[in-house]
mmCIF file of all heavy atoms in Angstrom:
data_model
loop_
_atom_site.group_PDB
_atom_site.id
_atom_site.type_symbol
_atom_site.label_atom_id
_atom_site.label_comp_id
_atom_site.label_asym_id
_atom_site.label_seq_id
_atom_site.Cartn_x
_atom_site.Cartn_y
_atom_site.Cartn_z
ATOM 1 N N LEU A 308 -10.633 -1.359 41.709
ATOM 2 C CA LEU A 308 -10.590 -0.568 40.509
ATOM 3 C C LEU A 308 -9.549 -1.073 39.540
ATOM 4 O O LEU A 308 -9.687 -0.940 38.276
ATOM 5 C CB LEU A 308 -10.267 0.886 40.942
ATOM 6 C CG LEU A 308 -11.383 1.570 41.760
ATOM 7 C CD1 LEU A 308 -10.896 2.926 42.334
ATOM 8 C CD2 LEU A 308 -12.674 1.865 40.953
ATOM 9 N N LEU A 309 -8.451 -1.580 40.086
ATOM 10 C CA LEU A 309 -7.414 -2.107 39.028
ATOM 11 C C LEU A 309 -7.945 -3.304 38.359
ATOM 12 O O LEU A 309 -7.569 -3.605 37.234
ATOM 13 C CB LEU A 309 -6.138 -2.494 39.915
ATOM 14 C CG LEU A 309 -5.273 -1.228 40.193
ATOM 15 C CD1 LEU A 309 -4.050 -1.694 41.185
ATOM 16 C CD2 LEU A 309 -4.655 -0.478 39.055
ATOM 17 N N ASP A 310 -8.774 -4.203 39.089
ATOM 18 C CA ASP A 310 -9.323 -5.245 38.435
ATOM 19 C C ASP A 310 -10.241 -4.820 37.235
ATOM 20 O O ASP A 310 -10.207 -5.519 36.224
ATOM 21 C CB ASP A 310 -10.118 -6.102 39.478
ATOM 22 C CG ASP A 310 -9.255 -6.825 40.362
ATOM 23 O OD1 ASP A 310 -8.074 -7.154 40.247
ATOM 24 O OD2 ASP A 310 -9.925 -7.419 41.461
ATOM 25 N N LEU A 311 -10.985 -3.727 37.432
ATOM 26 C CA LEU A 311 -11.818 -3.140 36.492
ATOM 27 C C LEU A 311 -10.991 -2.753 35.340
ATOM 28 O O LEU A 311 -11.263 -3.030 33.996
ATOM 29 C CB LEU A 311 -12.617 -2.041 36.985
ATOM 30 C CG LEU A 311 -13.406 -1.006 35.977
ATOM 31 C CD1 LEU A 311 -14.479 -1.991 35.245
ATOM 32 C CD2 LEU A 311 -14.020 0.088 36.597
ATOM 33 N N PHE A 312 -9.834 -2.078 35.451
ATOM 34 C CA PHE A 312 -8.984 -1.644 34.475
ATOM 35 C C PHE A 312 -8.258 -2.852 33.742
ATOM 36 O O PHE A 312 -8.363 -2.828 32.445
ATOM 37 C CB PHE A 312 -7.908 -0.670 34.952
ATOM 38 C CG PHE A 312 -8.351 0.838 34.999
ATOM 39 C CD1 PHE A 312 -9.356 1.128 35.939
ATOM 40 C CD2 PHE A 312 -7.774 1.721 34.219
ATOM 41 C CE1 PHE A 312 -9.728 2.468 35.927
ATOM 42 C CE2 PHE A 312 -8.187 3.036 34.112
ATOM 43 C CZ PHE A 312 -9.136 3.427 35.018
ATOM 44 N N ASN A 313 -7.815 -3.747 34.467
ATOM 45 C CA ASN A 313 -7.301 -4.909 33.793
ATOM 46 C C ASN A 313 -8.292 -5.697 32.899
ATOM 47 O O ASN A 313 -7.927 -6.136 31.848
ATOM 48 C CB ASN A 313 -6.600 -5.898 34.839
ATOM 49 C CG ASN A 313 -5.367 -5.327 35.386
ATOM 50 O OD1 ASN A 313 -4.525 -5.088 34.514
ATOM 51 N ND2 ASN A 313 -5.152 -5.238 36.704
ATOM 52 N N GLU A 314 -9.478 -5.817 33.388
ATOM 53 C CA GLU A 314 -10.541 -6.405 32.589
ATOM 54 C C GLU A 314 -10.855 -5.619 31.238
ATOM 55 O O GLU A 314 -11.001 -6.101 30.212
ATOM 56 C CB GLU A 314 -11.721 -6.747 33.399
ATOM 57 C CG GLU A 314 -12.926 -7.246 32.607
ATOM 58 C CD GLU A 314 -14.190 -7.395 33.453
ATOM 59 O OE1 GLU A 314 -14.173 -7.159 34.735
ATOM 60 O OE2 GLU A 314 -15.297 -7.696 32.951
ATOM 61 N N SER A 315 -10.944 -4.243 31.611
ATOM 62 C CA SER A 315 -11.310 -3.330 30.449
ATOM 63 C C SER A 315 -10.187 -3.297 29.289
ATOM 64 O O SER A 315 -10.442 -3.192 28.164
ATOM 65 C CB SER A 315 -11.381 -2.014 30.936
ATOM 66 O OG SER A 315 -12.466 -1.872 31.797
ATOM 67 N N TYR A 316 -8.996 -3.524 29.806
ATOM 68 C CA TYR A 316 -7.827 -3.488 28.678
ATOM 69 C C TYR A 316 -7.159 -4.840 28.522
ATOM 70 O O TYR A 316 -6.005 -4.850 28.025
ATOM 71 C CB TYR A 316 -6.801 -2.420 29.248
ATOM 72 C CG TYR A 316 -7.370 -1.010 29.113
ATOM 73 C CD1 TYR A 316 -7.655 -0.192 30.246
ATOM 74 C CD2 TYR A 316 -7.577 -0.347 27.755
ATOM 75 C CE1 TYR A 316 -8.097 1.104 30.039
ATOM 76 C CE2 TYR A 316 -8.063 0.902 27.596
ATOM 77 C CZ TYR A 316 -8.358 1.515 28.834
ATOM 78 O OH TYR A 316 -8.762 2.934 28.650
ATOM 79 N N HIS A 317 -7.719 -5.868 28.881
ATOM 80 C CA HIS A 317 -6.951 -7.152 28.837
ATOM 81 C C HIS A 317 -6.542 -7.607 27.540
ATOM 82 O O HIS A 317 -5.606 -8.245 27.225
ATOM 83 C CB HIS A 317 -7.806 -8.351 29.549
ATOM 84 C CG HIS A 317 -9.023 -8.766 28.498
ATOM 85 N ND1 HIS A 317 -10.316 -8.159 28.459
ATOM 86 C CD2 HIS A 317 -9.037 -9.794 27.727
ATOM 87 C CE1 HIS A 317 -10.881 -8.786 27.589
ATOM 88 N NE2 HIS A 317 -10.248 -9.819 27.204
ATOM 89 N N ASP A 318 -7.372 -7.150 26.427
ATOM 90 C CA ASP A 318 -6.938 -7.384 24.960
ATOM 91 C C ASP A 318 -6.465 -6.212 24.244
ATOM 92 O O ASP A 318 -6.372 -6.238 23.016
ATOM 93 C CB ASP A 318 -8.071 -8.108 24.322
ATOM 94 C CG ASP A 318 -9.388 -7.120 24.281
ATOM 95 O OD1 ASP A 318 -9.449 -6.135 24.999
ATOM 96 O OD2 ASP A 318 -10.232 -7.443 23.437
ATOM 97 N N LYS A 319 -6.045 -5.181 24.983
ATOM 98 C CA LYS A 319 -5.602 -4.002 24.369
ATOM 99 C C LYS A 319 -4.067 -3.907 24.641
ATOM 100 O O LYS A 319 -3.584 -3.498 25.606
ATOM 101 C CB LYS A 319 -6.294 -2.661 25.035
ATOM 102 C CG LYS A 319 -7.784 -2.818 25.131
ATOM 103 C CD LYS A 319 -8.472 -2.867 23.747
ATOM 104 C CE LYS A 319 -9.877 -2.828 23.978
ATOM 105 N NZ LYS A 319 -10.592 -3.004 22.606
ATOM 106 N N TYR A 320 -3.263 -4.274 23.613
ATOM 107 C CA TYR A 320 -1.829 -4.426 23.816
ATOM 108 C C TYR A 320 -1.029 -3.317 24.190
ATOM 109 O O TYR A 320 -0.241 -3.271 24.977
ATOM 110 C CB TYR A 320 -1.225 -5.053 22.406
ATOM 111 C CG TYR A 320 0.238 -5.244 22.438
ATOM 112 C CD1 TYR A 320 0.822 -6.290 23.033
ATOM 113 C CD2 TYR A 320 1.037 -4.316 21.822
ATOM 114 C CE1 TYR A 320 2.190 -6.700 23.042
ATOM 115 C CE2 TYR A 320 2.403 -4.405 21.817
ATOM 116 C CZ TYR A 320 3.033 -5.559 22.463
ATOM 117 O OH TYR A 320 4.282 -5.729 22.442
ATOM 118 N N PHE A 321 -1.525 -2.191 23.788
ATOM 119 C CA PHE A 321 -0.749 -0.979 24.008
ATOM 120 C C PHE A 321 -1.242 -0.199 25.261
ATOM 121 O O PHE A 321 -0.612 0.939 25.451
ATOM 122 C CB PHE A 321 -0.973 0.029 22.786
ATOM 123 C CG PHE A 321 -0.112 -0.499 21.497
ATOM 124 C CD1 PHE A 321 -0.779 -0.900 20.477
ATOM 125 C CD2 PHE A 321 1.262 -0.475 21.492
ATOM 126 C CE1 PHE A 321 -0.106 -1.404 19.288
ATOM 127 C CE2 PHE A 321 1.993 -1.049 20.434
ATOM 128 C CZ PHE A 321 1.283 -1.382 19.399
ATOM 129 N N VAL A 322 -2.032 -0.630 25.998
ATOM 130 C CA VAL A 322 -2.380 -0.078 27.247
ATOM 131 C C VAL A 322 -2.034 -1.036 28.355
ATOM 132 O O VAL A 322 -2.444 -2.211 28.415
ATOM 133 C CB VAL A 322 -3.932 0.170 27.443
ATOM 134 C CG1 VAL A 322 -4.217 0.762 28.781
ATOM 135 C CG2 VAL A 322 -4.359 1.160 26.289
ATOM 136 N N ARG A 323 -0.995 -0.610 29.180
ATOM 137 C CA ARG A 323 -0.492 -1.486 30.291
ATOM 138 C C ARG A 323 -0.886 -0.929 31.541
ATOM 139 O O ARG A 323 -0.635 0.274 31.967
ATOM 140 C CB ARG A 323 1.119 -1.445 30.024
ATOM 141 C CG ARG A 323 1.516 -1.939 28.752
ATOM 142 C CD ARG A 323 2.951 -2.185 28.501
ATOM 143 N NE ARG A 323 3.848 -0.935 28.926
ATOM 144 C CZ ARG A 323 5.098 -0.833 28.675
ATOM 145 N NH1 ARG A 323 5.755 -1.858 28.202
ATOM 146 N NH2 ARG A 323 5.748 0.326 28.918
ATOM 147 N N ILE A 324 -1.465 -1.679 32.377
ATOM 148 C CA ILE A 324 -1.948 -1.363 33.719
ATOM 149 C C ILE A 324 -0.891 -1.746 34.750
ATOM 150 O O ILE A 324 -0.443 -3.008 34.865
ATOM 151 C CB ILE A 324 -3.282 -2.032 34.102
ATOM 152 C CG1 ILE A 324 -4.321 -1.711 32.908
ATOM 153 C CG2 ILE A 324 -3.854 -1.470 35.426
ATOM 154 C CD1 ILE A 324 -4.538 -0.222 32.610
ATOM 155 N N ARG A 325 -0.445 -0.871 35.579
ATOM 156 C CA ARG A 325 0.639 -1.198 36.617
ATOM 157 C C ARG A 325 -0.118 -1.943 37.824
ATOM 158 O O ARG A 325 -1.229 -1.916 38.048
ATOM 159 C CB ARG A 325 1.204 0.053 37.064
ATOM 160 C CG ARG A 325 2.032 0.721 35.909
ATOM 161 C CD ARG A 325 3.277 -0.143 35.504
ATOM 162 N NE ARG A 325 4.007 0.514 34.481
ATOM 163 C CZ ARG A 325 4.977 1.184 34.542
ATOM 164 N NH1 ARG A 325 5.307 1.681 35.781
ATOM 165 N NH2 ARG A 325 5.614 1.847 33.495
ATOM 166 N N LYS A 326 0.817 -2.531 38.524
ATOM 167 C CA LYS A 326 0.436 -3.181 39.838
ATOM 168 C C LYS A 326 -0.025 -2.168 40.932
ATOM 169 O O LYS A 326 0.421 -0.992 40.779
ATOM 170 C CB LYS A 326 1.488 -4.108 40.389
ATOM 171 C CG LYS A 326 1.841 -5.236 39.476
ATOM 172 C CD LYS A 326 2.989 -6.019 39.927
ATOM 173 C CE LYS A 326 3.477 -7.190 38.965
ATOM 174 N NZ LYS A 326 4.505 -7.963 39.442
ATOM 175 N N GLU A 327 -0.701 -2.466 41.855
ATOM 176 C CA GLU A 327 -1.023 -1.663 42.942
ATOM 177 C C GLU A 327 0.191 -1.117 43.676
ATOM 178 O O GLU A 327 1.149 -1.819 43.966
ATOM 179 C CB GLU A 327 -1.928 -2.400 43.996
ATOM 180 C CG GLU A 327 -2.443 -1.567 45.093
ATOM 181 C CD GLU A 327 -3.456 -2.175 45.999
ATOM 182 O OE1 GLU A 327 -3.806 -3.357 45.681
ATOM 183 O OE2 GLU A 327 -3.833 -1.604 47.019
ATOM 184 N N GLY A 328 0.175 0.183 43.803
ATOM 185 C CA GLY A 328 1.257 0.784 44.435
ATOM 186 C C GLY A 328 2.394 1.231 43.516
ATOM 187 O O GLY A 328 3.331 1.933 43.865
ATOM 188 N N GLU A 329 2.337 0.897 42.235
ATOM 189 C CA GLU A 329 3.224 1.207 41.191
ATOM 190 C C GLU A 329 2.724 2.231 40.240
ATOM 191 O O GLU A 329 1.642 2.197 39.811
ATOM 192 C CB GLU A 329 3.758 0.031 40.414
ATOM 193 C CG GLU A 329 4.484 -1.020 41.162
ATOM 194 C CD GLU A 329 4.975 -2.103 40.286
ATOM 195 O OE1 GLU A 329 4.691 -2.094 39.085
ATOM 196 O OE2 GLU A 329 5.566 -3.163 40.695
ATOM 197 N N PHE A 330 3.502 3.444 40.073
ATOM 198 C CA PHE A 330 2.978 4.453 39.138
ATOM 199 C C PHE A 330 3.819 4.645 38.033
ATOM 200 O O PHE A 330 5.128 4.740 38.312
ATOM 201 C CB PHE A 330 2.717 5.693 39.921
ATOM 202 C CG PHE A 330 1.539 5.585 40.948
ATOM 203 C CD1 PHE A 330 1.757 5.117 42.226
ATOM 204 C CD2 PHE A 330 0.233 5.887 40.517
ATOM 205 C CE1 PHE A 330 0.649 4.905 42.968
ATOM 206 C CE2 PHE A 330 -0.801 5.817 41.298
ATOM 207 C CZ PHE A 330 -0.646 5.302 42.626
ATOM 208 N N PRO A 331 3.466 4.915 36.794
ATOM 209 C CA PRO A 331 4.488 5.121 35.655
ATOM 210 C C PRO A 331 5.007 6.460 35.503
ATOM 211 O O PRO A 331 4.437 7.440 36.050
ATOM 212 C CB PRO A 331 3.515 4.800 34.524
ATOM 213 C CG PRO A 331 2.169 5.281 35.003
ATOM 214 C CD PRO A 331 2.035 4.939 36.386
ATOM 215 N N SER A 332 6.068 6.524 34.928
ATOM 216 C CA SER A 332 6.739 7.887 34.460
ATOM 217 C C SER A 332 6.895 7.970 33.005
ATOM 218 O O SER A 332 6.783 6.841 32.224
ATOM 219 C CB SER A 332 8.099 7.824 35.117
ATOM 220 O OG SER A 332 8.946 6.955 34.497
#
Side-chain angles (χ1 to χ4, degrees):
L308 294 171
L309 285 173
D310 287 345
L311 171 63
F312 272 69
N313 280 308
E314 180 182 353
S315 299
Y316 289 115
H317 77 278
D318 60 346
K319 312 296 186 185
Y320 178 78
F321 289 111
V322 178
R323 306 187 297 189
I324 309 302
R325 295 296 178 86
K326 297 177 183 178
E327 184 170 351
E329 293 182 3
F330 291 88
S332 65

